Amino acid sequence: MEKKQRFFLVKSIDSEKKIISAYVSNYDWDRMDEKFAKGAWRLDNFKKNPVVLWAHNSHELPIAKAISILENDNGLLSEMQFDDKGEFAMQVFSLYQRGFLNAFS
């Protein structure tokens, strides 16, 4: 079986509010050779502390918070507000804003 990876790009960026809307996962094979079925995500615990980490690194401070997250027919869509007081968070936001980064995991 051929495993196709499909990556969703950033849907929108609000430069003033520092908000990015993007798919953070979908139903195709990912880079870690994992595939999620529709309905697989359990978000209750995440919603209690909806932090966005850089490169899944839980040993560093978050770069953003998920202000919304929902599952639809394409995958898991999130709106993330970046920390405008965090230097590294703003560096990452700028990379998305300028098109150097365009996907999430």
Side-chain angles (χ1 to χ4, degrees):
M1 168 178 47
E2 182 181 345
K3 295 179 181 177
K4 287 188 176 182
Q5 292 182 344
R6 184 175 61 171
F7 303 103
F8 284 92
L9 304 179
V10 169
K11 291 184 63 67
S12 66
I13 297 176
D14 183 328
S15 297
E16 185 178 320
K17 295 180 181 177
K18 305 298 187 250
I19 294 174
I20 295 178
S21 175
Y23 281 93
V24 295
S25 192
N26 60 43
Y27 308 116
D28 294 316
W29 293 101
D30 66 16
R31 295 178 194 139
M32 301 303 294
D33 206 25
E34 297 173 321
K35 184 176 180 177
F36 295 95
K38 190 170 184 178
W41 293 291
R42 301 292 178 250
L43 301 172
D44 292 340
N45 197 39
F46 173 75
K47 288 179 178 180
K48 292 175 186 175
N49 188 33
V51 297
V52 177
L53 303 174
W54 176 249
H56 301 271
N57 188 349
S58 62
H59 298 290
E60 297 292 332
L61 295 172
I63 59 170
K65 64 180 177 181
I67 55 176
S68 73
I69 190 161
L70 62 92
E71 182 179 4
N72 63 26
D73 288 338
N74 295 317
L76 199 57
L77 179 64
S78 182
E79 275 192 329
M80 297 154 281
Q81 183 174 31
F82 281 68
D83 175 14
D84 64 356
K85 302 289 190 241
E87 184 178 344
F88 182 67
M90 286 296 90
Q91 288 175 330
V92 173
F93 183 84
S94 176
L95 290 170
Y96 280 105
Q97 189 176 37
R98 294 180 292 130
F100 286 92
L101 294 173
N102 61 15
F104 285 81
S105 69

